[in-house]
Amino acid sequence: MKTHRPIQLPTPKTIIEPFRIKMIEPIGMLRPEERVRLLAEAGYNVFKLPAEAVTFDLLTDSGTSAMSAQQWSAMMAGDESYAGAKSFYNFERAVKDLTGMRHVIPTHQGRAAESLLMKAMLKPGQIVIGNTHFDTTRANIESAGGIAKDMPCKAAADSGVIDPFKGNINTEELDSYLKENKSKVGFVIMTVTNNSLAGQPVAMGNLRAAKEIAKKHGIPFFLDVARFAENSYFIKTREADYSQKTVKEIAQEMFSLADGALMSSKKDAFGNIGGFLALNNNEVAEAVRTLMVITEGFPTYGGLAGRDLEALAVGLEEVLDENYLAYRIRSIQYFGEGIEAAGLKIVKPLGGHAVYIDAGKTLPHIPALKFPGQALSVALYEHIGIRCCEVGSVMLGHRDAKTGVEHPAPVEQVRLAIPRRVYTQSHVDYMIEMIGYLAPYLGDLPGYEFEYQAPMLRHFSARFRRC
Ligand code: F0G
């Protein structure tokens, strides 16, 4: 008999979507003239477009995931009892397995968990320190009478610096600040990954150091874990000593450092809605359970249906699949590399859930107060059907109510957030190709000015005109 040569194929360069599609949803395929009309009707504000008219909806990765067959089938078993539903215990088991925390309290989304935590923990005037607070976290701290303080690491200040963990907190600053001011500080909260800093991850070493500093000064240490699995995968692939650990072990180690955690389950739990608070402290948990009945509902459902709790319990396990995470992180990098090759300036290194385009550098002919990020996001919709989010002087700048003078933001960016398990590589290739065709015309894009703006959160409802 002929002896066969053993066949050993190389490791493939292509990382595939580790799933197949069972149910489809058509996407809007409009003619450019239709998009031009809709944009004018929306006052050039992409938040006001009907989702049906969008081809690629990259406004957010929040609540936009495709759920799995396992999640949908778990939903059928949802127990809708008001109190003590079986679905609550399934959810509680999943969260405890991951976090090891004593108390698990569901909420209808992340900001509800923030609001409850701030009300239960903060006294007026107390400071909450973070690596960088997400905007709803900041708003909830302030509305509870507290002060939100960001302490990003030094590498974060320069968008050109390549550093594996630009989401870190500045531990030296944290230590010296707590030495002077610990009596004024309520707690420290670390956001993993750091959404307000382009989705950059936080190192385990940094979490541990921050925890030890907080502990030394007697300050509680919390985590905002909307994207905990993506952060854990970055730790596995970038931090020494973690390559042999599973992502689940890494996540469990991360949680073991904290006194409590809050999560928007609309991200890494693949939920279309949901959140939770996980706490070790009995008094804080009791205070939250008392407060939540007014706004969220009974503590075993927290504003969610039993079926939502079932879907989230499954999602929290599924997200730890390392084939999924390899695909997820690689697909963001692939998209970012493609956009950069097309000639646009992006924020580097690429983070875990979105590509951020530096609109200021990409459209240098449009000054900050003519809103380059707005110009780019309108153009991406008009010419390609991509809806994305300006993160610049429209969202983060403000108009002085007395003088009417506009103040710009420190960055002019556009965020292209990628919903989980939703778009395929051919969608991404199409977007990259079209961005390449648009690139030579970017210097011709007009700037914008406000036609209308609300006194708060103006980016959601503003109307603009071209100028
Ligand atoms: N924390 C982080 C880090 C977030 O990114 C978000 C939401 C929240 C808390 C609030 O959670 O939306 O469930 O109430 N981020 C979304 C985004 C809105 O588009 O980045 P939520």
Side-chain angles (χ1 to χ4, degrees):
M1 202 179 96
K2 192 171 180 289
T3 51
H4 292 279
R5 267 190 307 149
I7 299 176
Q8 193 149 31
L9 301 182
T11 308
K13 285 195 244 0
T14 309
I15 292 180
I16 57 170
E17 290 87 356
F19 49 80
R20 57 184 181 176
I21 296 166
K22 186 170 201 161
M23 196 187 288
I24 62 105
E25 192 182 7
I27 52 178
M29 303 279 277
L30 277 71
R31 283 175 288 113
E33 314 82 83
E34 293 176 289
R35 291 197 293 257
V36 166
R37 178 179 57 79
L38 287 165
L39 271 173
E41 283 170 16
Y44 300 101
N45 184 344
V46 296
F47 280 99
K48 295 168 79 156
L49 292 170
E52 262 184 346
V54 174
T55 311
F56 304 104
D57 208 342
L58 310 187
L59 200 53
T60 179
D61 63 321
S62 180
T64 51
S65 298
M67 292 211 299
S68 64
Q70 287 77 3
Q71 284 181 291
W72 280 109
S73 57
M75 284 182 82
M76 292 304 292
D79 173 356
E80 305 303 342
S81 305
Y82 189 89
K86 188 165 81 212
S87 302
F88 167 72
Y89 294 109
N90 288 341
F91 176 75
E92 185 188 48
R93 203 173 310 118
V95 178
K96 279 192 173 172
D97 177 42
L98 200 58
T99 65
M101 306 254 177
R102 210 173 290 153
H103 303 279
V104 174
I105 302 171
T107 59
H108 81 274
Q109 60 183 81
R111 64 198 72 184
E114 290 167 354
S115 165
L116 291 166
L117 184 70
M118 303 314 163
K119 284 184 187 139
M121 296 267 305
L122 285 187
K123 295 188 196 73
Q126 269 192 321
I127 297 159
V128 181
I129 302 174
N131 44 346
T132 319
H133 296 293
F134 181 64
D135 52 12
T136 58
T137 322
R138 171 176 292 276
N140 274 304
I141 293 167
E142 289 169 359
S143 96
I147 298 162
K149 187 163 175 56
D150 291 335
M151 281 188 195
C153 66
K154 289 202 184 101
D158 186 344
S159 72
V161 170
I162 305 286
D163 184 288
F165 291 105
K166 273 172 112 171
N168 283 355
I169 197 166
N170 183 333
T171 47
E172 280 162 35
E173 192 185 348
L174 178 66
D175 197 21
S176 64
Y177 190 85
L178 288 181
K179 249 185 223 136
E180 300 291 315
N181 302 290
K182 70 176 123 198
S183 64
K184 293 186 225 150
V185 175
F187 59 94
V188 172
I189 185 161
M190 297 283 289
T191 303
V192 296
T193 55
N194 193 336
N195 187 12
S196 305
L197 258 167
Q200 300 292 328
V202 181
M204 188 73 84
N206 186 256
L207 289 169
R208 179 163 296 108
K211 158 73 184 181
E212 274 157 19
I213 293 165
K215 193 170 164 197
K216 180 174 85 182
H217 296 288
I219 303 291
F221 184 73
F222 280 77
L223 299 174
D224 173 343
V225 295
R227 299 175 181 86
F228 77 96
E230 290 167 6
N231 200 89
S232 300
Y233 185 77
F234 278 119
I235 290 175
K236 182 178 169 97
T237 51
R238 292 185 180 176
E239 194 164 354
D241 302 333
Y242 284 93
S243 63
Q244 299 307 312
K245 296 216 159 116
T246 65
V247 168
K248 182 170 181 180
E249 286 164 347
I250 295 169
Q252 285 169 326
E253 183 174 332
M254 207 157 77
F255 283 109
S256 75
L257 299 170
D259 299 302
L262 63 87
M263 180 171 190
S264 165
S265 308
K266 298 170 74 174
K267 283 85 168 171
D268 268 353
F270 299 122
N272 299 128
I273 196 71
F276 67 78
L277 265 172
L279 299 162
N280 274 334
N281 183 295
N282 297 342
E283 286 84 57
V284 178
E286 209 36 54
V288 167
R289 289 195 179 106
T290 307
L291 278 169
M292 72 185 293
V293 178
I294 310 169
T295 52
E296 291 293 289
F298 196 72
T300 60
Y301 74 85
L304 295 171
R307 55 180 170 271
D308 298 325
L309 293 168
E310 296 284 357
L312 295 173
V314 175
L316 281 173
E317 260 191 65
E318 280 182 356
V319 76
L320 298 168
D321 172 1
E322 299 188 11
N323 288 322
Y324 158 74
L325 286 165
Y327 138 78
R328 168 78 177 156
I329 301 302
R330 177 65 198 129
S331 63
I332 309 285
Q333 286 169 345
Y334 180 85
F335 191 26
E337 288 160 9
I339 293 174
E340 189 177 31
L344 281 68
K345 305 282 185 242
I346 60 167
V347 178
K348 292 203 280 191
L350 288 149
H353 67 290
V355 175
Y356 289 71
I357 300 174
D358 187 329
K361 286 192 190 151
T362 301
L363 304 178
H365 66 291
I366 303 182
L369 291 177
K370 296 228 165 117
F371 309 127
Q374 187 66 19
L376 187 57
S377 66
V378 169
L380 289 174
Y381 176 70
E382 179 175 341
H383 300 287
I384 312 179
I386 298 173
R387 173 157 71 170
C388 55
C389 184
E390 190 262 11
V391 184
S393 290
V394 172
M395 183 194 269
L396 307 172
H398 70 279
R399 172 179 286 181
D400 189 305
K402 281 199 199 104
T403 61
V405 174
E406 279 288 338
H407 293 277
V411 292
E412 300 300 336
Q413 293 174 357
V414 165
R415 182 182 80 167
L416 290 86
I418 314 299
R420 293 170 181 76
R421 308 191 292 204
V422 170
Y423 294 111
T424 63
Q425 183 167 351
S426 66
H427 289 132
V428 172
D429 283 335
Y430 175 96
M431 288 190 273
I432 293 170
E433 182 184 349
M434 294 297 284
I435 290 171
Y437 298 147
L438 180 64
Y441 300 99
L442 291 173
D444 301 335
L445 295 184
Y448 287 81
E449 61 191 13
F450 280 103
E451 195 176 271
Y452 161 77
Q453 60 171 290
M456 266 176 69
L457 297 172
R458 61 184 186 173
H459 56 290
F460 291 126
S461 58
R463 296 184 66 84
F464 299 89
R465 59 181 159 251
R466 290 182 160 157
C467 63

